[in-house]
Amino acid sequence: MTQWKPTTCMRCAVGCGQQQRGVDEGYGVDKVRGDYDHPATGGLACERGIRETENPDGEWLTEPLVRRGDTLRPASWETALGIVAAEFIGTVADDPDSLAILGSGQQTNEAAYALGKVARGGIGTTYYDANTTLCMASAVTAYYDVFGSDAPPCTYDDIPEAETHLVWGANPAAAHPVLYRWILDSAVESDSRLVVVDPVESETAEDADTLVQPDPGTDLALSRAVLARLVETDRIDHEFVDAYTDGFEALVDSLPPVDDAAATAGVSPETVEALAAAFESPTLLYWGMGVNQSTHGTDAARTLIDCCLATGNMGPGTGPFSLTGQANSMGVRVCSSKGTLPGQRAFDDEAARAEVAETWGVPLSRLPDATGPGPVGIVDEINRGHIDAVWTVATNPVAGMPDATTVARALDDVFLVVQDAFRSETVEHADVVLPAATWGETEGTTTNMERRVSRVTAVSDVTDGVRPDLDIIAAVGNRIESGLFDEPPLSPESVFDEFASLTAGTVADLSGITYDRLDRELAVRWPAPDESSEGGYRYYDGENESWSFPTESGNAQFATATFGGVPEPTDAAYPLTLTTGRRPDAYNTGVRSREATSEVPTARIHPETAGQFVHLLDRGRTILESRRASVPVDLAPDDGVPTDAIWMDVHHPAVNELTLPMVDPDSSEPNYKQCAVRLASPDTSSTVTRSGLSHTRSSSTD
């Protein structure tokens, strides 16, 4: 019988330690269980992570595919890689920015590092993204602006110590169930409480002591109202603010009247007071995509951090804790050369650029001097004719990006290479498909949301037609830039060592982490500058009870902001607001967790609102329209949804045909969480769909 091996779940960013066992014969994972020795989760594991590792749904890719006419046909690896290399080399010969690359938080640290090395060093393209711009970029930008470095200062160890758990724009009961168990275990204590801010009553909200339901897209207005109330009632930790922060007076001068900001957010002044009171106890403030995925996402995240700074909710048991989405979103932020060079080195740091170029053996002049515009900006550049080829790795932009119909059409206009383990919506538009290994078949490391690096181990071989992401990336990279990597198959350990050495001396120092250490300790939090240290609560010296931040002044920075309204307000033609979220039983765009892609998505709607449009229903089914697309939906009456809103899950591939491609000006993160929609009868739907323009007459629901 095959042996159990320690590894890490790749489902979400909690980073649950697992033990996995491969099948006795053939290929695949036989059994999965929690690992009681793992320091991050101590044996806890969610049912979905186990199920989707043991027996994922979806159609597996088992051999390379090359488009012949309108059909994807099997090909050898040599043929597929030859076509990819020839097209990419020809494309970038005159302009490296003619090739765009989209990676993912589903890659290991090693694969993400290698992809960034190809993108930034082998090619030199500005148009590269690691997928975190779609989920974490606003939180990342806010952390940099306030603290001078990315990643939460707090860790899982702080959860039991908090008395107020304030969950804002997140649903950890659905998205991060193991982490949520710790939150609940703490919140049920007699001196603790759970406060939830969410426009829609979620699974997390069902357990809340207090639920606040602002209008979708108004998190900045509400958080500024809370700050204004804290200032107005002098619930400020002046000692902390005076000693360790800059910009507080300017912040105070910028704050709106509490009543005005409350009205903008659609809540009462009494509700604002209840949220302000939450900060009187040691508070952990968690936020997620409901805050980040907005045109005001960075400002809202900064303001939430400001609430913690102003009230002294910094230090063990307190603080601002952004909840990361994808399994290795934290890792790709540190190592993939997307927003920074490895180790959070800035793109305009000449010494850092020189060190990276020397390590990679590429000309310094080849490294781009900007991070790029993010996935939405990349699609815009395709539509402007500036990009001729796109390579996607472990991501599904045709389903996962806003205004997905436009994305699909843009990708049809370029030479598209799709690297994935499963047949996704994006695969259907590919010119070449490169089949990759998945969970249980891959060696490497991952980094969870509290900065813990863990091993990912393989318990099964792969079929001859499938290769690990790392080896595919190296094979393509070496064809573009000879000698960029050793010849595949690569040693993930050697790649990790190269990456870790590049982080030495940085604020995200992993140089003290090795595979040998991970084999002994299973997981290590960065910063870890030597083999005996690991990070705890950041920026705080508990021995001297002092603070130091990697900013120019050494202090944390308050920020000012103004709420300018939602980017697509409702009106008489589109009177309802669509907002989106996660389901407990689904995963990302659903390629490994949904049984079929043809089912009609469900839209939650308040019963009173559904009653107003009963004439548009056919046995509960109708058409949901935005200004970008029309989608058939099954309405599910739910009084947890506000009367002027509709909620849909992010996992169905049709949902993002409706969403809005406006982005945050600081982070380039899209505004997934709010757009204007209407209901229409099936025979009068009129907006653009993936099939093209509908020529039927328009319909309004006013």
Side-chain angles (χ1 to χ4, degrees), residues 642-656:
T643 54
D644 55 357
I646 286 177
W647 184 96
M648 295 179 71
D649 71 75
V650 299
H651 313 293
H652 195 282
V655 171
N656 277 320

Side-chain angles (χ1 to χ4, degrees), residues 22-188:
V23 296
D24 290 332
E25 296 182 6
Y27 306 96
V29 177
D30 178 32
K31 293 292 182 183
V32 179
R33 65 190 183 192
D35 186 348
Y36 289 93
D37 294 327
H38 198 279
T41 50
L44 294 178
C46 78
E47 179 183 340
R48 298 163 312 167
I50 290 176
R51 184 183 71 244
E52 291 168 16
T53 305
E54 286 182 352
N55 188 29
D57 293 314
E59 180 182 347
W60 296 67
L61 295 169
T62 59
E63 58 188 340
L65 303 173
V66 172
R67 186 166 296 281
R68 307 295 186 190
D70 294 332
T71 306
L72 287 169
R73 298 188 180 278
S76 69
W77 272 102
E78 195 59 35
T79 297
L81 290 172
I83 293 172
V84 170
E87 288 285 347
F88 283 1
I89 291 170
T91 297
V92 303
D94 296 322
D95 182 6
D97 285 340
S98 295
L99 172 62
I101 300 176
L102 298 174
S104 168
Q106 285 301 298
Q107 299 173 267
T108 63
N109 288 317
E110 293 77 4
Y113 171 73
L115 188 64
K117 185 176 179 178
V118 174
R120 303 306 202 185
I123 297 166
T125 182
T126 305
Y127 298 125
Y128 163 62
D129 198 273
N131 203 235
T132 56
T133 301
L134 298 179
C135 61
M136 295 309 304
S138 295
V140 168
T141 305
Y143 277 138
Y144 272 117
D145 290 347
V146 177
F147 299 137
S149 175
D150 176 24
C154 24
T155 75
Y156 296 163
D157 296 339
D158 299 303
I159 295 175
E161 305 303 318
E163 294 180 12
T164 296
H165 298 272
L166 176 51
V167 179
W168 194 308
N171 185 13
H176 305 107
V178 169
L179 175 121
Y180 185 58
R181 175 171 169 175
W182 299 326
I183 293 174
L184 274 187
D185 285 348
S186 177
V188 297

Side-chain angles (χ1 to χ4, degrees), residues 48 189 219 265 348 414 438 473 496 498 552 576 590 667 701:
R48 298 163 312 167
E189 297 293 327
D219 299 282
D348 59 0
V414 298
T438 185
I473 293 164
F496 181 87
E498 177 180 306
E552 187 172 338
L576 302 172
S667 68
T701 54

Side-chain angles (χ1 to χ4, degrees), residues 331-571:
V332 299
R333 283 148 61 180
V334 175
C335 72
S336 74
S337 301
K338 191 287 164 210
T340 63
L341 296 170
Q344 298 186 7
R345 297 175 185 268
F347 272 82
D348 59 0
D349 182 333
E350 288 304 317
R353 291 168 61 83
E355 183 176 352
V356 170
E358 181 179 2
T359 299
W360 289 352
V362 300
L364 177 61
S365 60
R366 185 180 293 166
L367 300 183
D369 56 8
T371 63
V376 172
I378 286 172
V379 171
D380 290 342
E381 292 302 308
I382 293 172
N383 290 329
R384 295 185 183 107
H386 297 162
I387 294 174
D388 299 317
V390 175
W391 179 14
T392 71
V393 181
T395 189
N396 187 15
V398 169
M401 284 184 61
D403 192 11
T405 303
T406 296
V407 175
R409 290 175 177 164
L411 293 179
D412 281 337
D413 289 338
V414 298
F415 177 78
L416 176 63
V417 178
V418 176
Q419 182 173 323
D420 210 325
F422 294 89
R423 190 157 190 142
S424 68
E425 286 73 23
T426 305
V427 165
E428 304 310 317
H429 298 264
D431 294 286
V432 177
V433 178
L434 304 176
T438 185
W439 311 347
E441 303 171 343
T442 300
E443 294 282 342
T445 59
T446 185
T447 310
N448 75 355
M449 71 173 79
E450 63 151 1
R451 297 175 269 116
R452 279 195 197 265
V453 179
S454 301
R455 282 294 308 276
V456 176
T457 56
V459 297
S460 172
D461 293 330
V462 294
T463 63
D464 291 339
V466 173
R467 297 183 181 181
D469 274 322
L470 180 59
D471 290 342
I472 300 171
I473 293 164
V476 174
N478 282 346
R479 283 166 169 78
I480 296 171
E481 175 76 7
S482 179
L484 194 62
F485 302 96
D486 294 335
E487 281 304 306
L490 295 190
S491 161
E493 182 175 7
S494 296
V495 175
F496 181 87
D497 289 345
E498 177 180 306
F499 148 65
S501 69
L502 274 175
T503 70
T506 71
V507 292
D509 194 332
L510 280 74
S511 60
I513 303 177
T514 63
Y515 272 33
D516 286 343
R517 183 178 180 186
L518 293 176
D519 287 342
R520 294 192 307 270
E521 302 178 33
L522 297 182
V524 178
R525 265 195 307 253
W526 65 262
D530 58 67
E531 290 200 10
S532 62
S533 66
E534 75 167 336
Y537 201 104
R538 298 181 79 197
Y539 316 125
Y540 178 61
D541 180 351
E543 190 173 321
N544 297 307
E545 296 186 352
S546 63
W547 292 82
S548 178
F549 301 91
T551 61
E552 187 172 338
S553 68
N555 288 338
Q557 305 294 304
F558 282 104
T560 61
T562 301
F563 180 66
V566 296
E568 190 174 65
T570 58
D571 56 22

